[in-house]
Amino acid sequence: MKEFELINRYFTGRGVARRDVDLGIGDDCALVNVPEHCQLAITTDTLVEGVHFFSDIPPRALGHRVLAVNLSDLAAMGAEPTWVSLGLTLPNIDPNWLDEFTEGMHEIAEYFNVQIIGGDTTQGPLTITICAKGIVPKGKALTRSGAKVGDWIYVTGSLGDAGLAIESRKNSWQLDDEAFACALQRFHFPSPRVAAGQALRGIASSAIDISDGLLADLTHILRQSGVAAQINADMVPMSDALRNSVSVEQSLQLALAYGDDYELLFTVSEGSKLAMEAKLRQYGVEPVCIGQIQAGDGNIELLYENHPWPFPKTGFEHFS
């Protein structure tokens, strides 16, 4: 199978066909229409075999994951996902693998009404680059720079399950089958909080998605907003699978510092708390308050049951 045969078989004419796309796959560029009074939000992410996913990940899960992590970036900005470009580097063309991989991509793209409008294919080590685009009303995008002293810090869901899945694989932790299945599902099939991100427009003062770890990603908000934070580690939401599988210290390490959770981390003023909680519950999200913004310059005070807690090693670093 040649390159253009691959594109025609797995992408051309498949999936969502949005009315705002004038020209999609098949030309030198795609042509899309950005609605009036909207801004275009653009994010790009690259996933490399052996760095961002295990070599034996099911290809359908990989197809879902590569798109989900980019949609999570759009969610963090309060954007509506619209169009996606795919750069796919393959060691060889395996039709069975491609059937499953593209099925995973098309499933999540259809769920969020996202059209795949182009990209590139080439040969080499398995590497997948996604450029996702979205739209947001002009001036309404969520950013990392708006947190104010006194704002409350929230997350949209439980943290640490993806880290549990990864560490159990790397270090041969003995988990019961149900806990491992739960953790692996969260790693393979992350659920970007797209609706929640849009609901937070005009309410949240700042936002980010949790990809590199709660504390590392919170630090981005603090530095760009010029503030500090106090975090109550015992308030950080965790699944039963995580709590029941490892020690308190290990669960906090995974929930606070591991990443790959793709929940939203955001801040909201005292006066907006009730409206935010009510709005997110309309979308099935139960936000959890984990701390408060304080005066300072990017530092985090970490407490557990109101006592200082040792700061864990934080965040994923590509060039550590």
Side-chain angles (χ1 to χ4, degrees), residues 39-44 70 73-74 77 79 83 131-135:
Q39 291 175 294
L40 185 63
I42 304 170
T43 182
T44 302
N70 282 268
D73 282 334
L74 294 177
M77 301 290 289
W83 317 293
C131 181
K133 298 89 172 172
I135 53 176

Side-chain angles (χ1 to χ4, degrees), residues 56-64 96-98 100-102 104-105:
D56 61 353
I57 184 174
R60 179 172 166 268
L62 182 59
H64 174 103
N96 293 327
W97 188 95
L98 281 164
E100 291 294 310
F101 173 79
T102 54
M105 278 200 69

Side-chain angles (χ1 to χ4, degrees), residues 85-97:
S85 302
L86 167 68
L88 183 60
T89 302
L90 297 168
N92 54 70
I93 294 178
D94 179 345
N96 293 327
W97 188 95

Side-chain angles (χ1 to χ4, degrees), residues 5-203:
E5 293 176 300
L6 183 158
I7 294 169
N8 288 332
R9 175 171 172 177
Y10 295 104
F11 296 102
T12 303
R14 288 192 62 186
V16 172
R18 293 178 57 97
R19 288 184 294 178
D20 51 18
V21 177
D22 287 341
L23 188 61
I25 295 171
D27 221 300
D28 290 307
C29 295
L31 300 175
V32 300
N33 297 290
V34 179
E36 190 176 5
H37 306 304
C38 283
Q39 291 175 294
L40 185 63
I42 304 170
T43 182
T44 302
D45 222 11
T46 297
L47 280 77
V48 180
E49 182 180 23
V51 177
H52 302 99
F53 56 89
F54 294 110
S55 299
D56 61 353
I57 184 174
R60 179 172 166 268
L62 182 59
H64 174 103
R65 180 175 170 77
V66 295
L67 186 48
V69 301
N70 282 268
L71 299 186
S72 183
D73 282 334
L74 294 177
M77 301 290 289
E80 173 196 343
T82 50
W83 317 293
V84 168
S85 302
L86 167 68
L88 183 60
T89 302
L90 297 168
N92 54 70
I93 294 178
D94 179 345
N96 293 327
W97 188 95
L98 281 164
D99 282 336
E100 291 294 310
F101 173 79
T102 54
E103 186 65 26
M105 278 200 69
H106 288 304
E107 283 176 354
I108 187 172
E110 183 174 352
Y111 183 84
F112 288 106
N113 192 32
V114 173
Q115 183 171 342
I116 300 172
I117 57 172
D120 189 31
T121 57
T122 188
Q123 187 172 24
L126 181 58
T127 306
I128 303 148
T129 297
I130 295 284
C131 181
K133 298 89 172 172
I135 53 176
V136 62
K138 191 172 181 63
K140 297 296 185 180
L142 303 173
T143 68
R144 303 175 180 182
S145 59
K148 304 289 192 297
V149 174
D151 285 356
W152 296 96
I153 303 168
Y154 279 81
V155 293
T156 54
S158 62
L159 307 179
D161 288 326
L164 179 64
I166 296 169
E167 287 302 305
S168 65
R169 281 284 308 268
K170 290 170 59 176
N171 298 314
S172 300
W173 289 357
Q174 296 301 310
L175 309 184
D176 68 55
D177 291 343
E178 184 176 352
F180 181 70
C182 174
L184 197 61
Q185 180 75 7
R186 286 291 304 276
F187 177 61
H188 282 170
F189 293 95
S191 300
R193 296 292 195 170
V194 171
Q198 293 175 54
L200 288 170
R201 292 194 305 234
I203 299 178

